[in-house]
Amino acid sequence: MNATVLALATAAALTVAGTAAAAPKTAAPTEARNVVLVHGGFVDGSGWKRVYDRLAKDGYRVTVAQNPTTSLADDVAVVKRAIAQQDGPVVLVGHSYGGVVISEAGTDPKVERLVYIAAFAPDAGESVQTLIANPAPGAPVPPILPPRDGFLFLDPAKFAASFAADVSAGEARFMADSQVPWGVEALAGKVAVPAWKSKPSWYLVASDDRMIPPAAQRQMAKRAGASVVEAKGSHAIYVSQPDAVAKLIEQAAQGKK
C-alpha cells in the first residue's frame, strides 16, 4: 500500500556504437538519525528508557514525547512540537494508543518512516473506540474500569496480567500504581488522514499481548502495508523486549524492509 519499492540493479546488455552500458542503480535510502518515541494510554514516556538507551548508544538522537493522553488533538500537538525540534528526517514510533497519535501526526513533512509497536494503526475515521468495539470471540478483554471524570484506568489488580505479564512483578506493580489517566476523548479521537497511507511503516506484533489481540495487530499491519516482525512478549513489549524493539526501529531508520 505504501511500502518503499527498492529496484534491484540489473546489468543491461545495451550495445550502442559497440559499447555496453549498465542500467542506473537506485540510490539506497538515506538513514534517518532522529527518533521520536510516543507512549500509549495508562503510562508515560518513562517506559521507553531501555529502548532509548539502546538507540542513543547507537548514535541516534532520541526524543521521548510526553503526550498527556487527554485527547487526540492535544497529543498530536505535543508530538508535532517534538518533531519540529528535530534537525532532519524523523522516524516516528508509537506504542498502543501511540499508534493512533503517530498515524495522525506522521503526515508532518519531517516524518519519513513510521514504527508501530503493538499499536493501533487506524484508517481514516477510525479511533481506538471503533477498533475495539467488536472484539473477536474469545479475545481477552482489557480490565478497563468505568470512566471517572472523563478518564479511564486499568484495574490495578489485573494490570500485570493484561498489560505487563512478562515484566518483573515489582516493575509491573509500579506501572499499575503510577497509571496516567487516559482521556475518554483520546479513546474516541478519530484519525483524519492516516500517515501510513503515504509513509513506509514497520510493525512489531507482540504475540502474547492481552490488550490488543495479536490477530488484530497482524490485520492492522497488513492493511497498512507494514514490514512486520513478531516477538514473544506482552503489551509492554517495549519495556520487556527493548532489544527487539530497538532493532526494528533501527531497521526502519535505515529504510530496510
Side-chain angles (χ1 to χ4, degrees), residues 72-73 76 97-107 116 120-128 130-131 186-197 223:
L72 181 57
V76 168
Y97 160 71
V100 181
V101 180
I102 72 168
S103 294
E104 183 76 3
T107 55
Y116 293 86
F120 292 103
D123 203 343
E126 291 181 342
S127 64
V128 172
T130 63
L131 289 170
L187 184 83
K190 294 181 179 180
V191 168
V193 180
W196 52 258
K197 288 194 172 182
R223 180 176 66 176

Side-chain angles (χ1 to χ4, degrees), residues 1-96:
M1 188 179 302
N2 66 338
T4 304
V5 179
L6 298 178
L8 297 174
T10 57
L14 301 176
T15 304
V16 180
T19 63
K25 295 183 178 181
T26 300
T30 57
E31 184 171 12
R33 303 300 299 177
N34 299 292
V35 178
V36 176
L37 304 173
V38 182
H39 64 83
F42 307 118
V43 296
D44 65 12
S46 62
W48 288 113
K49 178 65 166 59
R50 296 183 184 105
V51 173
Y52 172 94
D53 288 343
R54 284 155 177 77
L55 294 173
K57 182 180 178 181
D58 289 343
Y60 291 92
R61 182 175 187 260
V62 187
T63 300
V64 179
Q66 291 285 13
N67 45 307
T69 65
T70 49
S71 71
L72 181 57
D74 288 346
D75 298 333
V76 168
V78 168
V79 171
K80 285 201 167 191
R81 284 195 289 272
I83 293 169
Q85 295 171 7
Q86 310 308 310
D87 61 2
V90 173
V91 179
L92 191 57
V93 183
H95 169 256
S96 191

Side-chain angles (χ1 to χ4, degrees), residues 169 174 210 239:
F174 174 79
R210 298 188 64 80
V239 178

